[in-house]
Amino acid sequence: MSIEAVVFDLDGVIIDTEEVWEEVRRGYVAEHGREFLPDTQTRMMGMSTGEWSTHLSEEVGVPRAPEQVATDVLARMAERYRADLPLIPGSVDAVRRLAADFPIALASSSARILIDQVLETAGITDLFRTTLSTEEVPRGKPEPDVYLEATKRLGLSPEVCAAVEDSSNGLRSAGAAGLTVIAVPHGVYPPADDALALASLVIKSLDELTVEAVRKLN
């Protein structure tokens, strides 16, 4: 079957925010006298807002309720985005290029407030047929929920959709949902070998994400 639609991740694909997320969360944890362990950021990649805020509260030990943790961290992230949106080189061009030939969607672990702000600031909101946060489905990545809902909203089966992902949990989520997986590995947070093995196409940069490359994924 040929690919009929493309679903993009946001963090690590369109914007390079994993380091920003780590910096903000690490600082927040330190302010509350807790330790940000070496695997803390990796474990949270792909989690929904409710999941990572619960992790920081209950597992890392930040003495705040998960709801307050989420409010505090998201406010700091939004402030950083307003000051300087860290677009990945070639990301906006790639979105525009694919949107000209395919219906496209967004399936992100970011909170709705951050998704909307990023797309508006980048000037690409109207290119997406639908956008979805893992806040809006029962489970975050690596579970398949967000991709299953995104393809449902597109009116297509997962088997005729491709996902563009960078992280281990994102690749696992898209693969579990049955989409054809395109991996754009992040240089600082590369995906695990087992997750990368799920990809039908691995590209080094978004300049390689062309209509022709997607059409070859049959």
Side-chain angles (χ1 to χ4, degrees), residues 96-178:
R96 292 187 182 282
R97 188 162 57 239
L98 265 61
D101 279 71
F102 299 99
I104 64 171
L106 187 85
S108 174
S109 299
S110 275
R112 168 56 60 185
I113 186 174
L114 297 183
I115 291 172
D116 291 346
Q117 183 174 327
V118 168
L119 298 185
E120 180 180 354
T121 301
I124 55 177
T125 302
D126 293 341
L127 297 179
F128 290 90
R129 297 286 182 88
T130 186
T131 63
L132 193 66
S133 166
T134 51
E135 290 181 332
E136 298 157 359
V137 294
R139 301 172 298 176
K141 302 173 184 178
E143 302 301 331
D145 302 29
V146 71
Y147 277 103
L148 291 174
E149 180 63 24
T151 57
K152 179 181 177 182
R153 292 186 183 186
L154 287 171
L156 296 168
S157 67
E159 290 75 19
V160 297
C161 297
V164 185
E165 273 284 359
D166 68 301
S167 70
S168 295
N169 284 343
L171 294 166
R172 292 173 183 139
S173 175

Side-chain angles (χ1 to χ4, degrees), residues 17 20-21 24 73-82 114:
T17 57
V20 180
W21 275 108
V24 168
V73 172
L74 290 175
R76 297 184 187 196
M77 288 297 297
E79 183 178 354
R80 293 288 293 270
Y81 285 2
R82 284 192 293 271
L114 297 183

